[in-house]
Amino acid sequence: MKTRNSIKVLFVCLGNICRSPTAHGVFQHLIEQEGLSGLIEVDSAGTHAYHVKEPPDRRAQQAALKREVDLSPLRARRATADDFDVFDYVLAMDRENLANLEQICPKGMEYKLGLFLSYAPDLGVSEVPDPYYGGTAGFDRVLDLIEDASRGLISHLRKEHKL
Ligand code: 4NP
């Protein structure tokens, strides 16, 4: 029997310690709940190297844990041009990071790039705001946006790839 290759999704923000690990954890959690483990693989990365090898920001971990999502095993890494060979979807949290990714994207791979919140068009916002310099409410807001876009992305993948 022919086995299906998994669909690979990469979430990208600036530091890979707040927004993209949150998206990584929330989306992974949803995939497991929906019985899609093994069909979809998830990772996250940052466009800058400030926090490489660090675990997610403590505030991001605490906010996610309130929703039963454990981010503690994740470690920050920097996005590379090779990621465009590996991943089918490379989704940026905001336009600044989309522009950073465009700089390293090999020719012909641009179709893989997009804004994560484009999968939640009803939200009326297109970027996940950077919560790093703000208070805890910013991290809850990040989770709300990411939960909506994760559900939208799952329905897109179900339709597009007949999962
Ligand atoms: P992230 O948040 O891009 O969501 O991980 C940030 C983390 C660190 C910094 C900025 C944003 N920083 O300037 O160190």
Side-chain angles (χ1 to χ4, degrees):
M1 197 175 82
K2 191 172 182 295
T3 54
R4 183 204 287 273
N5 285 333
S6 60
I7 297 149
K8 298 184 181 62
V9 179
L10 181 67
F11 296 112
V12 184
C13 62
L14 194 65
N16 192 209
I17 55 165
C18 298
R19 292 164 293 173
S20 63
T22 299
H24 183 162
V26 165
F27 192 64
Q28 181 68 51
H29 189 69
L30 203 57
I31 285 170
E32 284 159 19
Q33 281 184 339
E34 299 240 346
L36 295 168
S37 309
L39 297 178
I40 304 173
E41 287 180 63
V42 195
D43 196 5
S44 61
T47 58
H48 280 264
Y50 315 125
H51 297 281
V52 165
K53 298 200 172 125
E54 290 179 21
D57 186 284
R58 186 180 36 80
R59 298 162 297 170
Q61 291 199 45
Q62 282 169 353
L65 260 189
K66 286 193 279 178
R67 302 185 195 200
E68 286 159 23
V69 177
D70 177 14
L71 306 181
S72 65
L74 305 179
R75 293 294 176 271
R77 73 169 180 89
R78 193 172 190 180
T80 68
D82 290 345
D83 283 321
F84 289 89
D85 291 328
V86 174
F87 292 93
D88 303 294
Y89 294 80
V90 180
L91 302 176
M93 296 296 138
D94 60 24
R95 287 194 174 73
E96 179 190 353
N97 288 296
L98 183 61
N100 292 342
L101 287 166
E102 282 163 355
Q103 298 287 320
I104 61 163
C105 179
K107 270 209 166 49
M109 298 285 190
E110 296 82 359
Y111 70 94
K112 296 185 173 187
L113 267 173
L115 283 172
F116 183 33
L117 293 194
S118 67
Y119 293 96
D122 294 346
L123 281 173
V125 287
S126 54
E127 302 181 291
V128 183
D130 182 352
Y132 190 67
Y133 293 105
T136 54
F139 287 84
D140 293 326
R141 170 76 174 149
V142 163
L143 273 156
D144 291 341
L145 297 172
I146 283 173
E147 281 180 354
D148 273 15
S150 294
R151 284 193 203 96
L153 178 57
I154 296 248
S155 9
H156 170 83
L157 296 178
R158 279 192 183 283
K159 264 190 234 134
E160 187 72 16
H161 303 273
K162 302 186 170 49
L163 300 181

